[in-house]
Amino acid sequence: MALRSRSIWFIGLLALGDKNAKTAKSAKKTPHRIFFAALAALAFFVASPSSAQPAGRITGRVTDETGGALPGVTVELRSASRSPIETITSAGGDYAFENVQAGTYQLSFTVINFASLTRRDVRVESGALRVDAVLHLSLNAEVTVTGKRTFANLADVENPAENLVGVAQSASQGAITARQLDVRPIMRQGEVLETVPGVIITQHSGEGKANQYFLRGFNLDHGSDFAMTVAGTPVNMPTHAHSQGYSDINFLIPELVAGVQYSKGPYFADQGDFATAGASNINYATTLDRPIAHLEKGTYGFGRALFAASPKLGPGHVLAAFESSANSGPWTVPDSYLKLNGVLRYSQGNAVNGFSLTAMGYHGKWNASEAVPLRAVDAGLIDRFGSIDSTDGGHTYRYSLGVDWQRGSPLSLTKVTAYGLAYDLGLISNFTFFLDDPVHGDQKEQSDHRFVSGVKVAHRRLTKWAGRSVQNTAGAQIRNDDISNVALYATEKRVRVETLSEASVLVTSAGVYAQNEIEWTRWLRTNAGLRGDVSRYHVNALETFNSGTTSAGLVSPKGGATIGPWKGTEVYVNAGTGFHSNDARGTTITRDVDGNPVDRVTPLVRAKGAEVGVRTVAIPHLQSTVSLWTLRLASELVYNGDAGATEPGPASERHGVEWANYYSPRRWLVLDGDISWSRAYFAGAAAANRYVPEAVGTVVSAGASVDTFHRTFGSLRLRYFGPRTLVDDGSVQSKATKLVNLEGGYQMKKNVRAVFEVFNLFDDAVSDIDYYFASRLPGEPPGGVNDIHSHPAVPRTLRLGLILSF
């Protein structure tokens, strides 16, 4: 209509000009006639059908993986011949561009926390065109309000290539979805982390003790170089009675997990202590699809009951879950592991703006069968599942309260997390039996009682520099561990005989960081970060000569580049420095328990790492990543069999390669396979003593999962834990451990599912873990005997379950 009106106006003006020209003298030669002739030609050109540009309209709605509306998304419309224009999605996630000239355009959708999405070759003609978009969380997203379907694997996305930009900053970043966990056989809660490529979760003691973790050439012991967070609350415990970074996640409830975000290497500015080999953030859902009751019964005295619901309360939801379980295991001395566990959470909001208040409580009590010397099994003194000291065991509790607050706008996002945590552990173990005390035995009690508090603040902002998209992030973190008692006692049959060490410790750590991400071109993005950390330790030891106050600090630069995508493939280059802390008591110590002079340890140990990797979704429904990495530590935490704990050691270096694959050829079928290979050496050590004991070499995980196929679901999984060097000269090695686990289920009714799980399907007589150190049995020489000490994997174990939803 605008073009037609314009033409009529021009023609009328031309007629008026002609009339005036005829009444004028010498009209044939006047400038007016020339002017109006040119004006007529212009009117004809403008009104010509071949050059008409009818206006169109583009509308659409932007949502997240769950279908929830995403307000505040910046939508940019760009073409080769016109300047870009932008709009912002409404509270309902809707957007519109009016009066769009016919042509070919590019639509881009950008909002903080989510990977960018670009739709190219959007053809606009007259009329309305609808372009909806689904955005997927980036792998390092800050999330407060989540459902069970909040996270998605790119292989499950209809067009993964268009969602690749900004989803990751390294090849070894990833997110495990609730869908993967729901059909996976899980014997121990910690095995949720075995979904992370290259991670092995095992146990060398009673089930109530923290798991043993392996990753990237590390025996991480109980978490020394792997930072863990659950529902916003940190898990690692610095200056712990048993081991530095002790991480007990037996309080985890797998049915509540919305996703597991993970990363590897010291490349990310928001990660501080312990995040050298890697880090994981386990997110709890704030709402469930419907209330559930999960009842389980299994061999070896296993039983479990879980009840969970998330009713609506006012503008938000209340998530309530309660779990009770018991497990004795195949041991000669039954574990008798009893657990009570609960979660109460209130939340409101959406993926951009949200608030949650989370209370968690856990109490556990157990007996323990420690790793036993093979010579005792070979001699028939005990069987594989026996114990030398039948009185080992432990008890623990963990009660926490956490608050998450998140606010976002089209160009910024701020998140604040605060938490308080009360924790207690009494762990009784006998690793060397009668080596140190032939009369009473070597049993020890390790006691830890503390209150932890902390605050984390992060702010992200989108902007433009010289026309280039930029995201800047700044944050601050502070944590205080008030440890009223961290102690080691000599015991006999759980009765304290002597106090070996006892202290109260105050550990305060703080960190600030900044990170800058720039999109230089469509195929090149960079990130550069800087982190500063300070720690202060105040130790009040029973032995006053070991008391004191120390502090330390360091600055950690980090950076990376992402090249691509080309045909659904990106290349990543990353490098950075990080650290792990040492036990505060080691920073003030002057003499050991025998009164011998000892050197103090470095409070913060530097780590340096680098990685190059590739992520591709070029093949439909397949996400594949490959990474080649290296990592150096200024001091290695090594296992001391006499103390049953980790101690600072010499510098080390590691390198390796990882290949992870996730393939979903059908909506109901997932095939995955991961291979990790690594080597670890002491830096500068003689060739004959250069191996890091217990360092994991080869890890393989593979499986096939079926989800709701003709009312069936389940998974068959292979887990291979390669041989490890047990001593630094490489003369003693463990055997490999290979296990096959199975889960199957059937949807009996709409709200009833039956499940069975079989662990160690082929009943392989293999070890969960092996160590090599000296111990002494009754009648053996005073110096003891060096031997492999093994904790066997459980034999074939069956569990049956019934899942009811309401």
Side-chain angles (χ1 to χ4, degrees), residues 639-785:
Y639 182 80
N640 181 339
D642 293 338
T646 52
E647 295 178 349
S652 64
E653 58 183 65
R654 290 170 168 81
H655 57 265
V657 63
E658 295 173 336
W659 182 28
N661 301 274
Y662 178 99
Y663 182 46
S664 182
R666 298 287 186 272
R667 294 182 64 86
W668 51 267
L669 177 63
V670 172
L671 307 173
D672 65 270
D674 312 319
I675 300 175
S676 303
W677 175 90
S678 59
R679 287 292 180 267
Y681 306 98
F682 287 122
N689 302 97
R690 62 194 303 246
Y691 297 101
V692 177
E694 290 297 325
V696 61
T698 303
V699 174
V700 179
S701 175
S705 300
V706 173
D707 189 10
T708 60
F709 177 68
H710 295 296
R711 303 175 71 177
T712 64
F713 59 92
S715 180
L716 179 67
R717 303 209 56 82
L718 167 69
R719 171 185 179 271
Y720 176 82
F721 184 21
R724 282 107 37 224
T725 296
L726 301 182
V727 292
D728 59 10
D729 63 3
S731 60
V732 182
Q733 288 204 347
S734 71
K735 295 181 180 179
T737 296
K738 181 181 68 176
L739 294 172
V740 176
N741 298 326
L742 173 68
E743 176 179 290
Y746 184 72
Q747 188 90 34
M748 301 171 64
K749 295 182 179 180
K750 182 180 179 180
N751 298 331
V752 180
R753 291 189 295 167
V755 185
F756 73 89
E757 295 173 308
V758 183
F759 302 98
N760 193 359
L761 180 63
F762 299 112
D763 203 23
D764 292 313
V766 293
S767 298
D768 257 350
I769 195 169
D770 300 291
Y771 298 100
Y772 187 81
F773 55 84
S775 63
R776 182 174 183 268
L777 301 176
E780 290 185 336
V785 176

Side-chain angles (χ1 to χ4, degrees), residues 93-112:
D94 300 306
Y95 74 94
F97 291 101
E98 306 288 351
N99 298 320
V100 180
Q101 298 298 313
T104 302
Y105 293 85
Q106 173 182 292
L107 270 175
S108 298
F109 304 84
T110 305
V111 68
I112 293 177

